[in-house]
Structures are given as structure tokens and as C-alpha cells.
Amino acid sequence: GTKQDLMMAALAPKIAPALLEKIASGPSEGPLYDQLLELGMTMNNLFDLMLPCVMMLWASGTEPKEFFPDPDQAPPVLARRALARFFARAQSQGRMGGGDPEALAMWFIGGVKELTFQKHMLRQAESTVDAEVYIRSFVDAIWFGCAPKVAS
């Protein structure tokens, strides 16, 4: 193959199948808050690996349509849809309060991704908050905003 083919094979964004399966099959019976923390940390670690790869592809002149030929099947789209279904199931089980599941999924992914963006794109690794502290604070904001409402 060509140099471009090798770069695509090595650097094209992929969602870890285990992560997608965990999202697609969840939420499990355990505490939802803990599952959100785990998903947030797992996604943060994935973004931390993926963003430099995407940056290299863009720098090489690769267009997003080359690594996402079918936008409806692009890994970020599949992950967002799976996470929206995860939130919808949690809501239907009464384990999570309101909010549009698709919007919540975009908020969750975008919020988790921001730490990686700050670290890699803005080169602020030394000034960003610790990943675990950031994810816990972010999940707290979601949880306390979307926790199931208890009748008073």
C-alpha cells in the first residue's frame, strides 16, 4: 500500500469494541453514577489516544470523508447514538431524570472530550485539572442536573 494507506490503517479513529458494547448493553444494574464515571474515564482515555491520531491525519491532508466514508457509520456517530440509547434506557427505568437523550449524549461526549482538547490542541497539559477530578466533577454536574426526581 501507499504511505497514505499505512497512515489510515494506523491512525484512523476507531471506537474500542468493548466500550461500544458496554454502552450498547447498559446501563447495568449497578449504580448509574458509578457507570457514568467509568464511561467518562474510559472515553477520556480513548480520546487522549485518538485526538493526536486525528491531528496527524488532518496534517497529512487527509479529509474526514476518507476515514469516515459513511458518515452514518462513523465511530463517533455510533458512539453518540449508543450513548443516547443508554440514557434513554436509564430514563425509562426511572434511574435518570429528564433531558433529551441525544442532547445528553452530545453533552457527555463533548464534555469528556474537552479535557483532551485542552491538553493536545492547546498544549495545556500542565495547567489542566487531573483527569479523574475533571471527570468526577463533570459527572457530578450531569448527575445532580439529571438525577431522578424524588417526590418530596
Side-chain angles (χ1 to χ4, degrees), residues 17 19 32-33 35 43 55 60 80 110-111 115 143 145 148 151:
L19 173 60
L32 185 59
Y33 177 86
Q35 292 176 62
M43 291 168 73
M55 290 169 56
S60 76
R80 188 190 73 238
L115 185 64
W143 184 247

Side-chain angles (χ1 to χ4, degrees), residues 44 115-116 118-119 124-138:
N44 176 70
L115 185 64
T116 297
Q118 293 286 326
K119 178 178 175 184
Q124 294 185 347
E126 67 280 344
S127 64
T128 56
V129 67
D130 175 75
E132 190 170 334
V133 170
Y134 175 82
I135 298 299
R136 183 171 298 280
S137 297
F138 180 72

Side-chain angles (χ1 to χ4, degrees), residues 18-34:
L19 173 60
L20 205 49
E21 175 57 33
K22 180 181 274 298
I23 296 169
S25 66
S28 67
E29 300 224 353
L32 185 59
Y33 177 86
D34 293 344

Side-chain angles (χ1 to χ4, degrees), residues 1 8 10 22 35 47 56 70 73 75 78 93 98 106 110 112-113 121 132-133 137 148:
M8 285 291 294
K22 180 181 274 298
Q35 292 176 62
F47 294 144
M56 287 293 296
D70 181 354
Q73 296 301 311
L78 297 176
Q93 296 166 358
M106 291 181 75
V112 170
K113 194 169 24 181
M121 297 295 288
E132 190 170 334
V133 170
S137 297

Side-chain angles (χ1 to χ4, degrees), residues 23-28 32 35-36 39 79-106 108 142-143 146 148:
I23 296 169
S25 66
S28 67
L32 185 59
Q35 292 176 62
L36 294 175
L39 281 175
R80 188 190 73 238
R81 288 179 185 154
L83 191 57
R85 290 188 299 270
F86 177 101
F87 287 141
R89 284 189 298 273
Q91 289 171 335
S92 70
Q93 296 166 358
R95 299 172 67 191
M96 186 173 184
D100 177 76
E102 181 79 14
L104 291 172
M106 291 181 75
F108 191 87
I142 290 176
W143 184 247
C146 297

